[in-house]
Short mmCIF file of all heavy atoms in Angstrom, two decimals:
data_model
loop_
_atom_site.label_atom_id
_atom_site.label_comp_id
_atom_site.label_asym_id
_atom_site.label_seq_id
_atom_site.Cartn_x
_atom_site.Cartn_y
_atom_site.Cartn_z
N LYS A 974 25.10 13.72 9.18
CA LYS A 974 26.44 13.50 8.67
C LYS A 974 27.01 12.24 9.33
O LYS A 974 27.64 11.41 8.66
CB LYS A 974 27.27 14.71 9.11
CG LYS A 974 28.48 14.93 8.21
CD LYS A 974 29.09 16.31 8.55
CE LYS A 974 30.52 16.28 8.09
NZ LYS A 974 31.30 17.35 8.64
N GLU A 975 26.81 12.10 10.65
CA GLU A 975 27.29 10.92 11.32
C GLU A 975 26.61 9.69 10.83
O GLU A 975 27.25 8.57 10.69
CB GLU A 975 27.06 11.06 12.84
CG GLU A 975 28.07 11.91 13.57
CD GLU A 975 27.86 11.92 15.06
OE1 GLU A 975 27.25 11.01 15.63
OE2 GLU A 975 28.26 12.92 15.64
N LEU A 976 25.31 9.80 10.51
CA LEU A 976 24.57 8.63 10.06
C LEU A 976 25.12 8.20 8.64
O LEU A 976 25.36 7.01 8.45
CB LEU A 976 23.10 8.95 9.90
CG LEU A 976 22.19 7.86 9.28
CD1 LEU A 976 22.25 6.58 10.15
CD2 LEU A 976 20.76 8.32 9.19
N ARG A 977 25.36 9.21 7.78
CA ARG A 977 25.92 8.89 6.47
C ARG A 977 27.27 8.17 6.63
O ARG A 977 27.57 7.21 5.89
CB ARG A 977 26.03 10.15 5.62
CG ARG A 977 26.60 9.90 4.25
CD ARG A 977 25.67 8.98 3.42
NE ARG A 977 26.31 8.46 2.22
CZ ARG A 977 27.00 7.33 2.11
NH1 ARG A 977 27.19 6.58 3.19
NH2 ARG A 977 27.51 6.92 0.98
N ALA A 978 28.08 8.70 7.57
CA ALA A 978 29.38 8.07 7.75
C ALA A 978 29.22 6.60 8.26
O ALA A 978 29.99 5.69 7.86
CB ALA A 978 30.20 8.90 8.73
N ALA A 979 28.24 6.42 9.11
CA ALA A 979 27.99 5.07 9.69
C ALA A 979 27.57 4.11 8.63
O ALA A 979 27.87 2.92 8.66
CB ALA A 979 26.99 5.15 10.80
N ILE A 980 26.76 4.60 7.67
CA ILE A 980 26.30 3.70 6.58
C ILE A 980 27.47 3.29 5.72
O ILE A 980 27.58 2.14 5.28
CB ILE A 980 25.20 4.43 5.75
CG1 ILE A 980 23.98 4.67 6.60
CG2 ILE A 980 24.83 3.55 4.55
CD1 ILE A 980 22.88 5.50 5.95
N GLY A 981 28.39 4.21 5.50
CA GLY A 981 29.63 3.93 4.76
C GLY A 981 29.41 3.36 3.41
O GLY A 981 28.41 3.68 2.70
N ASP A 982 30.27 2.46 2.99
CA ASP A 982 30.17 1.80 1.69
C ASP A 982 29.29 0.54 1.89
O ASP A 982 29.77 -0.56 1.79
CB ASP A 982 31.56 1.45 1.22
CG ASP A 982 31.50 0.71 -0.12
OD1 ASP A 982 30.57 0.98 -0.90
OD2 ASP A 982 32.43 -0.13 -0.37
N CYS A 983 28.06 0.80 2.18
CA CYS A 983 27.15 -0.27 2.69
C CYS A 983 27.06 -1.46 1.79
O CYS A 983 26.86 -1.39 0.56
CB CYS A 983 25.78 0.32 2.96
SG CYS A 983 24.65 -0.87 3.71
N ARG A 984 27.19 -2.64 2.41
CA ARG A 984 26.99 -3.90 1.66
C ARG A 984 26.07 -4.84 2.45
O ARG A 984 26.23 -6.03 2.45
CB ARG A 984 28.38 -4.59 1.50
CG ARG A 984 29.33 -3.73 0.70
CD ARG A 984 30.68 -4.35 0.54
NE ARG A 984 31.48 -3.49 -0.34
CZ ARG A 984 32.64 -3.88 -0.88
NH1 ARG A 984 33.05 -5.09 -0.70
NH2 ARG A 984 33.30 -3.07 -1.67
N ARG A 985 25.13 -4.22 3.16
CA ARG A 985 24.30 -5.00 4.05
C ARG A 985 23.19 -5.72 3.32
O ARG A 985 22.48 -6.52 3.92
CB ARG A 985 23.72 -4.08 5.12
CG ARG A 985 24.74 -3.51 6.09
CD ARG A 985 24.13 -2.43 6.97
NE ARG A 985 25.07 -1.90 7.91
CZ ARG A 985 25.91 -0.90 7.63
NH1 ARG A 985 26.00 -0.42 6.44
NH2 ARG A 985 26.72 -0.44 8.61
N CYS A 986 22.94 -5.44 2.06
CA CYS A 986 21.98 -6.27 1.27
C CYS A 986 22.53 -6.43 -0.14
O CYS A 986 23.53 -5.88 -0.49
CB CYS A 986 20.58 -5.59 1.25
SG CYS A 986 20.34 -4.34 -0.01
N LYS A 987 21.81 -7.22 -0.89
CA LYS A 987 22.32 -7.66 -2.22
C LYS A 987 22.26 -6.53 -3.27
O LYS A 987 22.62 -6.78 -4.43
CB LYS A 987 21.62 -8.90 -2.69
CG LYS A 987 20.12 -8.82 -2.79
CD LYS A 987 19.53 -10.16 -3.15
CE LYS A 987 18.07 -10.14 -3.34
NZ LYS A 987 17.26 -9.73 -2.17
N LEU A 988 21.79 -5.38 -2.93
CA LEU A 988 21.71 -4.32 -3.94
C LEU A 988 23.02 -3.56 -4.21
O LEU A 988 23.15 -2.87 -5.20
CB LEU A 988 20.60 -3.30 -3.55
CG LEU A 988 19.19 -3.79 -3.62
CD1 LEU A 988 18.20 -2.71 -3.14
CD2 LEU A 988 18.83 -4.29 -5.01
N TRP A 989 23.96 -3.71 -3.30
CA TRP A 989 25.15 -2.86 -3.41
C TRP A 989 25.97 -3.05 -4.69
O TRP A 989 26.44 -2.06 -5.27
CB TRP A 989 26.08 -2.95 -2.14
CG TRP A 989 26.83 -4.28 -2.12
CD1 TRP A 989 26.50 -5.43 -1.51
CD2 TRP A 989 28.15 -4.49 -2.69
NE1 TRP A 989 27.46 -6.38 -1.67
CE2 TRP A 989 28.49 -5.84 -2.38
CE3 TRP A 989 29.07 -3.71 -3.39
CZ2 TRP A 989 29.67 -6.43 -2.78
CZ3 TRP A 989 30.27 -4.27 -3.83
CH2 TRP A 989 30.56 -5.58 -3.50
N PRO A 990 26.10 -4.27 -5.23
CA PRO A 990 26.99 -4.40 -6.43
C PRO A 990 26.46 -3.64 -7.63
O PRO A 990 27.24 -3.28 -8.51
CB PRO A 990 27.04 -5.89 -6.67
CG PRO A 990 26.52 -6.57 -5.46
CD PRO A 990 25.60 -5.60 -4.87
N GLY A 991 25.16 -3.37 -7.68
CA GLY A 991 24.58 -2.77 -8.91
C GLY A 991 24.52 -1.29 -8.85
O GLY A 991 24.08 -0.64 -9.81
N ARG A 992 24.95 -0.67 -7.74
CA ARG A 992 24.70 0.76 -7.65
C ARG A 992 25.95 1.57 -8.17
O ARG A 992 27.05 1.06 -8.10
CB ARG A 992 24.49 1.15 -6.18
CG ARG A 992 25.72 1.10 -5.34
CD ARG A 992 25.53 1.55 -3.91
NE ARG A 992 26.77 1.28 -3.13
CZ ARG A 992 26.80 0.72 -1.96
NH1 ARG A 992 25.75 0.31 -1.35
NH2 ARG A 992 27.99 0.56 -1.37
N ALA A 993 25.64 2.77 -8.70
CA ALA A 993 26.71 3.72 -9.01
C ALA A 993 26.96 4.58 -7.82
O ALA A 993 28.10 4.86 -7.44
CB ALA A 993 26.33 4.58 -10.22
N HIS A 994 25.83 4.98 -7.13
CA HIS A 994 25.94 5.76 -5.91
C HIS A 994 24.96 5.26 -4.89
O HIS A 994 23.87 4.81 -5.24
CB HIS A 994 25.59 7.23 -6.17
CG HIS A 994 26.66 7.97 -6.89
ND1 HIS A 994 26.57 8.21 -8.25
CD2 HIS A 994 27.81 8.52 -6.50
CE1 HIS A 994 27.67 8.85 -8.69
NE2 HIS A 994 28.42 9.09 -7.63
N LEU A 995 25.34 5.37 -3.63
CA LEU A 995 24.34 5.15 -2.58
C LEU A 995 23.65 6.52 -2.39
O LEU A 995 24.28 7.54 -2.16
CB LEU A 995 25.12 4.76 -1.31
CG LEU A 995 24.38 4.30 -0.08
CD1 LEU A 995 25.26 3.43 0.77
CD2 LEU A 995 23.82 5.44 0.70
N VAL A 996 22.32 6.47 -2.55
CA VAL A 996 21.55 7.72 -2.51
C VAL A 996 20.98 7.96 -1.13
O VAL A 996 19.94 7.37 -0.77
CB VAL A 996 20.45 7.68 -3.60
CG1 VAL A 996 19.68 9.01 -3.64
CG2 VAL A 996 21.09 7.38 -4.99
N PHE A 997 21.64 8.76 -0.35
CA PHE A 997 21.33 8.88 1.10
C PHE A 997 20.07 9.74 1.31
O PHE A 997 19.08 9.29 1.86
CB PHE A 997 22.52 9.50 1.79
CG PHE A 997 22.29 9.77 3.24
CD1 PHE A 997 22.10 8.70 4.17
CD2 PHE A 997 22.34 11.08 3.76
CE1 PHE A 997 21.89 8.96 5.47
CE2 PHE A 997 22.14 11.32 5.08
CZ PHE A 997 21.96 10.28 5.96
N GLY A 998 20.12 10.99 0.87
CA GLY A 998 19.03 11.91 1.09
C GLY A 998 19.52 13.34 0.96
O GLY A 998 20.74 13.52 0.88
N VAL A 999 18.61 14.24 0.78
CA VAL A 999 19.09 15.61 0.55
C VAL A 999 18.12 16.61 1.15
O VAL A 999 16.91 16.33 1.26
CB VAL A 999 19.20 15.87 -1.00
CG1 VAL A 999 17.83 15.92 -1.67
CG2 VAL A 999 19.99 17.08 -1.32
N GLY A 1000 18.60 17.79 1.54
CA GLY A 1000 17.69 18.85 1.97
C GLY A 1000 18.08 19.42 3.34
O GLY A 1000 19.18 19.18 3.86
N ASN A 1001 17.06 20.08 3.94
CA ASN A 1001 17.27 20.74 5.18
C ASN A 1001 17.26 19.71 6.35
O ASN A 1001 16.26 19.02 6.53
CB ASN A 1001 16.11 21.76 5.39
CG ASN A 1001 16.21 22.55 6.67
OD1 ASN A 1001 17.02 22.23 7.55
ND2 ASN A 1001 15.38 23.58 6.82
N PRO A 1002 18.34 19.63 7.10
CA PRO A 1002 18.39 18.62 8.19
C PRO A 1002 17.40 18.87 9.32
O PRO A 1002 17.11 18.02 10.14
CB PRO A 1002 19.83 18.66 8.74
CG PRO A 1002 20.52 19.68 7.90
CD PRO A 1002 19.56 20.39 7.02
N GLN A 1003 16.80 20.16 9.34
CA GLN A 1003 15.78 20.46 10.29
C GLN A 1003 14.45 20.75 9.65
O GLN A 1003 13.65 21.52 10.14
CB GLN A 1003 16.19 21.66 11.16
CG GLN A 1003 17.12 21.36 12.30
CD GLN A 1003 18.43 22.02 12.16
OE1 GLN A 1003 18.51 23.14 11.61
NE2 GLN A 1003 19.48 21.38 12.56
N ALA A 1004 14.21 20.07 8.53
CA ALA A 1004 12.98 20.36 7.76
C ALA A 1004 11.76 20.02 8.57
O ALA A 1004 11.73 19.02 9.27
CB ALA A 1004 13.05 19.60 6.44
N LYS A 1005 10.72 20.83 8.37
CA LYS A 1005 9.39 20.47 8.96
C LYS A 1005 8.67 19.46 8.11
O LYS A 1005 7.76 18.81 8.56
CB LYS A 1005 8.51 21.75 9.00
CG LYS A 1005 8.89 22.73 10.11
CD LYS A 1005 7.85 23.82 10.09
CE LYS A 1005 8.13 24.80 11.19
NZ LYS A 1005 7.16 25.91 11.15
N LEU A 1006 9.10 19.39 6.86
CA LEU A 1006 8.40 18.53 5.87
C LEU A 1006 9.40 17.58 5.17
O LEU A 1006 10.43 18.01 4.74
CB LEU A 1006 7.79 19.41 4.80
CG LEU A 1006 7.00 18.70 3.67
CD1 LEU A 1006 5.86 17.81 4.25
CD2 LEU A 1006 6.45 19.72 2.70
N MET A 1007 9.04 16.29 5.25
CA MET A 1007 9.94 15.26 4.65
C MET A 1007 9.17 14.47 3.61
O MET A 1007 8.05 14.02 3.91
CB MET A 1007 10.41 14.38 5.81
CG MET A 1007 11.50 13.35 5.40
SD MET A 1007 12.31 12.78 6.87
CE MET A 1007 13.39 11.56 6.16
N PHE A 1008 9.72 14.33 2.44
CA PHE A 1008 9.17 13.45 1.39
C PHE A 1008 9.91 12.17 1.40
O PHE A 1008 11.16 12.17 1.40
CB PHE A 1008 9.29 14.15 0.05
CG PHE A 1008 8.38 15.35 -0.14
CD1 PHE A 1008 8.77 16.59 0.19
CD2 PHE A 1008 7.06 15.16 -0.63
CE1 PHE A 1008 7.92 17.72 0.07
CE2 PHE A 1008 6.23 16.25 -0.76
CZ PHE A 1008 6.64 17.53 -0.45
N ILE A 1009 9.20 11.10 1.32
CA ILE A 1009 9.82 9.78 1.29
C ILE A 1009 9.31 8.93 0.12
O ILE A 1009 8.10 8.70 -0.02
CB ILE A 1009 9.65 9.01 2.57
CG1 ILE A 1009 10.22 9.82 3.74
CG2 ILE A 1009 10.26 7.60 2.51
CD1 ILE A 1009 9.99 9.21 5.13
N GLY A 1010 10.21 8.57 -0.78
CA GLY A 1010 9.84 7.73 -1.92
C GLY A 1010 10.34 6.34 -1.75
O GLY A 1010 10.72 5.87 -0.67
N GLU A 1011 10.31 5.63 -2.85
CA GLU A 1011 10.67 4.16 -2.82
C GLU A 1011 12.14 3.91 -2.85
O GLU A 1011 12.68 3.34 -1.90
CB GLU A 1011 9.95 3.57 -4.07
CG GLU A 1011 10.31 2.11 -4.27
CD GLU A 1011 9.58 1.51 -5.49
OE1 GLU A 1011 8.45 1.98 -5.76
OE2 GLU A 1011 10.17 0.65 -6.15
N GLY A 1012 12.79 4.33 -3.88
CA GLY A 1012 14.23 4.06 -4.00
C GLY A 1012 14.74 4.80 -5.24
O GLY A 1012 13.95 5.31 -6.04
N PRO A 1013 16.09 4.85 -5.38
CA PRO A 1013 16.65 5.57 -6.53
C PRO A 1013 16.33 4.88 -7.85
O PRO A 1013 16.32 3.66 -7.93
CB PRO A 1013 18.15 5.52 -6.27
CG PRO A 1013 18.37 4.83 -5.02
CD PRO A 1013 17.08 4.24 -4.54
#
Side-chain angles (χ1 to χ4, degrees):
K974 205 171 159 193
E975 280 183 24
L976 176 61
R977 178 64 193 89
I980 295 172
D982 179 30
C983 183
R984 299 178 177 195
R985 293 169 179 86
C986 84
K987 59 185 181 298
L988 292 179
W989 76 268
R992 72 177 175 228
H994 288 99
L995 189 155
V996 182
F997 177 64
V999 71
N1001 180 351
Q1003 276 116 35
K1005 284 185 178 176
L1006 178 60
M1007 187 163 175
F1008 288 90
I1009 300 176
E1011 174 178 328

